């Protein structure tokens, strides 16, 4: 097989001559030994002029034999005029919107308006290289690429509603504080975050206000609403310490607690009736019986008198009918009976707290014996309660300066204190009775007569008619339904054990509440339909004006993201989809991308809301069914 040089020399010596001449030029540039031009022409026998013409052809041909490695060369930089125009445009926006760009120690913060402005500016200069564009507007290239990145979801969002105009500021002469007026005026044009604004007021405006002061000024003028965390219930704080106490022995608080006992595999339940002194917190009287009845109240009162040596001026009891019987009134004698305020557990906090402590230390009471189960269990609970109460009475209390309940109860009261307490407690009891009589007088006599007959037939105890007066305040339908439910459960023997008239009150209250809720639900539905129709009429008028403008797509996006109303956001997303679908099929994809970028550049809403808006727009623009 002939060699390559022999083949080329025999077929085309002119090509060989041009190749050697070109190689000679490259060799000289690389400082390599090369033949002279005369030597090359003499060896090949080719014409000089023809060979040099072919050299020029080889110079054009050789680069095409192998592609150039690496990135293509960058386009030439823009003209000074074009770059300066971009820089001036961004500078003008920043000057007109203070706070839209805030530079921190590690990163910069941009407002939604600034991001939208950059996106619009980039759309007008798409032909310009992105690196050159970023350098001209002084924006990090990575940040710009993030803003321009196409959303992954095929959806876009209508434009956020325009920000409400700031309230008109008062004249300078009407302002009581010039610095406060400066803060309000600066905030109306501010687009950055709140902390950056506070720094701006101190460093640029020379207003020496702290964060809290600036926040209060803006909140007082309705220009910024402060977000607050939900705290504890105001009732819990307001009612703390509201229970009036006088001295030890002035007022006791009584209540009952169910205590289970297991004797020889038989479960028995006893009522522990306890009286607690309201001033000292001392446990003064205890009674243990099978049921919480009038006898338990009387026995606990007698035990307290035996423990302390005197009856209290008043005894606070709950509204259980058994606490209001004539037998209890007779046992109280000169002691006033104070009724606990309904639906206010803290009204009996002294005894409820005592039961809470007792429950924590109370072990499981289980006896294995064949003696009289009931008598033995009752005695056992009584002993435990007495030991616990009397031991607690002599335990030092850190909150009372190390004094025990027994020591505090022994503090004597003056005659003036006794008389004042007696007078005020009597006034409290009289006010309660007057309120009850007034309430009863306002009830319909026929409804009270109906309840009187029902209570007598059902054998419900209500000595002072408090429960009946309370029931009579509910609608007649609820009362009749409640009586029927109570009587039906009684005949079916599904009533819980130990229920009294208050159980009937609870049934009536629940029936009335359910009926009230149904009426409210119907009215809510009707009113919401009416309001929605009115709102839609206003939105339709606004949509017609927006869609007629040249910036319909951007306006729909901004209005959709500016509202927190699901109805309005859906409306503007629908309007945005209509704008995109009204264009040619070839334009819809690019319009969708522009809208989606604008949505994702609105950081005033959460990422989840932005993604949802983009997805919702995609569903409307490209329906799958």
């Amino acid at each position: 097989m002939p060699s390559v040089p022999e083949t080329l020399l025999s077929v085309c010596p002119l090509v060989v001559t041009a190749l050697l001449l070109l190689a000679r030029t490259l060799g000289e540039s690389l400082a390599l030994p090369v033949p002279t031009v005369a030597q090359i022409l003499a060896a090949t026998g080719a014409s000089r002029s023809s060979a040099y013409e072919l050299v020029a052809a080889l110079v054009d041909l050789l680069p095409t034999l192998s592609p150039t490695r690496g990135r293509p060369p960058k386009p030439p930089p823009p003209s000074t005029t074009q770059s300066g125009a971009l820089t001036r445009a961004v500078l003008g926006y920043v000057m007109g919107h203070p706070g839209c760009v805030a530079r921190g120690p590690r990163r910069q913060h941009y407002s939604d308006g600034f991001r939208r402005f950059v996106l619009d500016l980039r759309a007008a200069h798409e032909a310009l290289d992105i690196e050159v564009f970023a350098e001209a507007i002084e924006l990090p290239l990575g940040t710009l690429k993030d803003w321009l990145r196409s959303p992954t979801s095929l959806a876009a969002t209508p434009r956020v509603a325009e920000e409400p105009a700031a309230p008109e500021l008062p004249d300078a002469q009407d302002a009581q504080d010039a610095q406060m007026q400066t803060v309000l005026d600066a905030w109306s044009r501010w687009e950055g975050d709140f902390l950056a604004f506070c720094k701006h007021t101190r460093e640029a405006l020379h207003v020496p206000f702290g964060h809290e002061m600036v926040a209060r000024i803006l909140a007082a003028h309705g220009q910024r609403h402060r977000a607050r965390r939900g705290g504890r219930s105001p009732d819990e704080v307001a009612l703390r310490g509201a229970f009036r106490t006088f001295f030890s022995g002035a007022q006791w608080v009584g209540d009952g607690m169910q205590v289970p006992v297991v004797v020889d595999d038989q479960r028995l339940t006893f009522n522990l009736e306890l009286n607690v002194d309201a001033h000292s917190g001392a446990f003064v009287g205890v009674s243990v019986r099978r049921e919480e009845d009038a006898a338990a109240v009387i026995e606990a009162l007698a035990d307290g008198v035996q423990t302390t040596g005197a009856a209290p001026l008043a005894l606070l009891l709950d509204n259980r009918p058994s606490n209001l019987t004539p037998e209890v009134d007779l046992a109280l004698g000169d002691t006033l009976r104070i009724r606990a305020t309904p639906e206010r557990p803290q009204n009996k906090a002294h005894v409820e707290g005592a039961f809470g402590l007792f429950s924590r230390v109370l072990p499981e009471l289980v006896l294995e014996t064949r003696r009289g189960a009931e008598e033995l269990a009752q005695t056992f609970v009584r002993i435990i309660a007495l030991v616990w109460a009397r031991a607690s009475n002599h335990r030092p209390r850190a909150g009372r300066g190390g004094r025990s309940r027994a020591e505090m109860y022994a503090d004597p009261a003056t005659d003036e204190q006794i008389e004042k307490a007696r007078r005020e407690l009597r006034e409290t009891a009289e006010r309660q009775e007057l309120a009850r009589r007034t309430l009863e007088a306002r009830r319909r006599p026929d409804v009270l007569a109906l309840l009187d007959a029902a209570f007598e037939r059902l054998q419900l105890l209500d000595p002072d008619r408090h429960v009946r007066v309370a029931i009579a305040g509910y609608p007649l339908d609820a009362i009749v339904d409640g009586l029927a439910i109570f009587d039906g459960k009684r005949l079916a023997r599904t009533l819980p054990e130990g229920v009294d008239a208050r159980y009937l009150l609870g049934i009536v209250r629940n029936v009335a509440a359910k009926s009230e809720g149904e009426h409210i639900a119907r009215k809510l539905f009707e009113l919401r339909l009416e309001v929605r129709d009115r709102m839609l009429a206003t939105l339709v008028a606004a949509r017609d004006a927006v869609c007629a403008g040249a910036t319909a797509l951007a306006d729909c996006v901004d209005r959709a993201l500016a509202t927190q109303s699901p109805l309005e956001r859906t409306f503007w997303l629908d309007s945005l989809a209509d704008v995109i679908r009204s264009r040619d099929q070839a334009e819809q994809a690019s319009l969708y991308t522009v809208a989606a970028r604008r949505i994702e550049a609105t950081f005033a809403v959460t990422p989840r809301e932005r993604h949802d808006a983009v997805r919702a727009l995609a569903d409307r623009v490209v329906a799958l069914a």
Side-chain angles (χ1 to χ4, degrees), residues 2 25 31 44 88 125 181 287 290 336 395 431 488 580:
T25 304
T44 59
R88 286 193 298 274
H125 298 81
Q181 184 70 21
S287 169
R290 283 303 303 272
L336 294 175
R395 182 182 304 158
R431 283 197 303 270
I580 295 176

Side-chain angles (χ1 to χ4, degrees), residues 190-303:
W190 185 258
E191 290 196 3
D193 59 29
F194 174 71
L195 294 180
F197 175 75
C198 294
K199 182 178 179 181
H200 172 72
T201 58
R202 289 193 302 270
E203 298 181 357
L205 304 180
H206 304 288
V207 177
F209 288 163
H211 295 172
E212 182 64 24
M213 184 63 178
V214 174
R216 281 190 289 172
I217 292 173
L218 297 178
H221 289 77
Q223 296 195 21
R224 179 178 180 268
H225 299 289
R226 308 177 68 179
R228 299 183 180 274
R229 297 180 179 177
R232 304 179 69 174
S233 168
D235 292 342
E236 180 181 352
V237 178
L239 297 175
R240 184 175 298 160
F243 195 103
R244 296 194 60 188
T245 60
F246 303 93
F247 49 83
S248 299
Q251 183 176 4
W252 293 352
V253 181
D255 198 3
M257 170 186 176
Q258 300 301 307
V259 179
V261 181
V262 178
V263 180
D264 294 336
D265 299 328
Q266 181 182 1
R267 181 183 177 88
L268 302 172
T269 302
F270 295 91
N271 175 69
L272 169 62
E273 191 77 15
L274 178 65
N275 286 341
V276 180
D277 179 68
H279 178 71
S280 63
F283 310 134
V284 293
V286 175
S287 169
V288 178
R289 297 180 59 83
R290 283 303 303 272
E291 297 179 0
E292 184 179 359
D293 52 13
V297 177
I298 297 171
E299 187 172 309
L301 176 64
D303 185 69

Side-chain angles (χ1 to χ4, degrees), residues 28 39 41 45 75 109 185 192 215 228 231 233 267 306 358 387 438 495 511 518 557 624:
E28 288 180 346
Q39 291 174 338
L41 294 176
H109 301 272
D185 180 67
R228 299 183 180 274
S233 168
R267 181 183 177 88
Q306 182 179 358
F358 180 64
V387 172
T438 302
L495 285 173
V511 171
E518 293 172 352
V557 171
L624 300 181

Side-chain angles (χ1 to χ4, degrees), residues 29-327:
S29 65
L30 298 176
L32 296 174
V34 296
T36 64
V37 175
Q39 291 174 338
I40 295 174
L41 294 176
T44 59
S47 170
R48 177 191 295 265
S49 59
S50 299
Y52 274 107
E53 290 178 2
L54 194 55
V55 167
L58 286 176
V59 170
D60 294 334
L61 176 63
L62 289 177
T64 64
L65 300 179
S66 177
T68 304
R69 295 185 179 181
R71 297 181 179 178
K74 295 183 179 179
S79 64
T80 305
T81 303
Q82 185 179 10
S83 178
L86 291 173
T87 305
R88 286 193 298 274
V90 174
L91 178 60
Y93 184 90
V94 173
M95 293 178 64
H97 301 79
C100 65
V101 178
R103 174 167 295 176
R106 295 186 177 181
R107 56 178 299 180
Q108 295 186 162
H109 301 272
Y110 307 94
S111 69
D112 291 345
F114 181 79
R115 279 188 291 273
R116 295 170 182 167
F117 169 77
V118 171
L119 291 176
D120 293 340
L121 194 63
R122 177 58 183 168
H125 298 81
E126 282 187 325
L128 187 61
D129 183 76
I130 188 171
E131 296 180 355
V132 178
F133 180 85
E135 182 179 358
I137 66 173
E138 290 292 333
L139 189 69
L141 180 61
T143 301
L144 178 60
K145 288 183 176 180
D146 286 341
W147 295 358
L148 295 175
R149 185 173 292 115
S150 297
T152 56
S153 305
L154 182 60
T157 306
R159 175 171 182 169
V160 180
E162 303 222 350
E163 298 181 357
E168 186 176 348
L169 297 173
D171 295 337
Q173 63 269 21
D174 296 333
Q176 297 181 356
D177 192 332
Q179 291 178 326
M180 185 182 302
Q181 184 70 21
T182 301
V183 171
L184 294 172
D185 180 67
W187 178 258
S188 66
R189 294 176 285 104
W190 185 258
E191 290 196 3
D193 59 29
F194 174 71
L195 294 180
F197 175 75
C198 294
K199 182 178 179 181
H200 172 72
T201 58
R202 289 193 302 270
E203 298 181 357
L205 304 180
H206 304 288
V207 177
F209 288 163
H211 295 172
E212 182 64 24
M213 184 63 178
V214 174
R216 281 190 289 172
I217 292 173
L218 297 178
H221 289 77
Q223 296 195 21
R224 179 178 180 268
H225 299 289
R226 308 177 68 179
R228 299 183 180 274
R229 297 180 179 177
R232 304 179 69 174
S233 168
D235 292 342
E236 180 181 352
V237 178
L239 297 175
R240 184 175 298 160
F243 195 103
R244 296 194 60 188
T245 60
F246 303 93
F247 49 83
S248 299
Q251 183 176 4
W252 293 352
V253 181
D255 198 3
M257 170 186 176
Q258 300 301 307
V259 179
V261 181
V262 178
V263 180
D264 294 336
D265 299 328
Q266 181 182 1
R267 181 183 177 88
L268 302 172
T269 302
F270 295 91
N271 175 69
L272 169 62
E273 191 77 15
L274 178 65
N275 286 341
V276 180
D277 179 68
H279 178 71
S280 63
F283 310 134
V284 293
V286 175
S287 169
V288 178
R289 297 180 59 83
R290 283 303 303 272
E291 297 179 0
E292 184 179 359
D293 52 13
V297 177
I298 297 171
E299 187 172 309
L301 176 64
D303 185 69
V305 173
Q306 182 179 358
T307 302
T308 62
L313 300 182
L315 176 63
L316 186 146
L317 300 171
D318 62 16
N319 297 302
R320 190 179 184 87
S322 59
N323 296 336
L324 312 174
T325 60
E327 292 83 358

Side-chain angles (χ1 to χ4, degrees), residues 322-498:
S322 59
N323 296 336
L324 312 174
T325 60
E327 292 83 358
V328 173
D329 293 336
L330 181 63
L332 289 174
D334 294 335
T335 300
L336 294 175
R337 184 186 63 197
I338 304 295
R339 295 169 58 89
T341 305
E343 299 181 2
R344 283 276 300 279
Q346 60 269 33
N347 202 220
K348 300 184 297 176
H350 310 82
V351 67
E352 296 290 353
F355 284 147
L357 294 174
F358 180 64
S359 300
R360 292 171 57 184
V361 301
L362 180 66
E364 185 178 4
L365 303 180
V366 180
L367 298 178
E368 292 293 340
T369 178
R370 300 303 174 185
R371 299 177 56 184
E374 182 173 340
E375 180 179 356
L376 180 59
Q378 178 178 345
T379 304
F380 179 71
V381 175
R382 178 179 176 81
I383 293 174
I384 292 295
L386 288 174
V387 172
W388 166 73
R390 291 173 182 173
S392 299
N393 282 341
H394 293 279
R395 182 182 304 158
R397 305 174 67 190
R400 298 298 182 94
R403 303 183 69 198
S404 66
R405 293 177 173 88
E407 291 173 341
M408 295 184 64
Y409 197 88
D411 292 341
T414 64
D415 293 340
E416 292 78 7
Q417 289 177 315
I418 296 175
E419 183 59 31
K420 180 182 178 181
R422 192 189 305 276
R423 181 176 62 256
E424 294 190 10
L425 290 170
R426 184 180 294 110
E427 290 175 356
T428 300
E430 291 175 353
R431 283 197 303 270
Q432 290 183 345
E433 180 59 24
L434 178 61
R436 188 196 66 79
R437 290 198 300 267
T438 302
L439 192 62
E440 183 177 2
R442 293 176 179 174
R443 300 297 188 233
R444 293 171 51 184
D446 53 344
V447 176
L448 289 174
L450 170 65
L451 290 173
D452 289 340
F455 270 56
E456 182 178 357
R457 177 173 56 83
L458 299 173
Q459 297 181 353
L460 294 175
L461 190 62
D462 185 25
D464 293 336
R465 303 183 78 196
H466 285 288
V467 178
R468 277 171 281 186
V469 171
I471 295 177
Y474 290 96
L476 184 60
D477 290 344
I479 296 174
V480 173
D481 293 348
L483 288 172
I485 293 172
F486 186 92
D487 200 10
K489 293 174 73 68
R490 180 183 65 86
L491 295 175
R493 297 183 179 181
T494 56
L495 285 173
E497 292 187 9

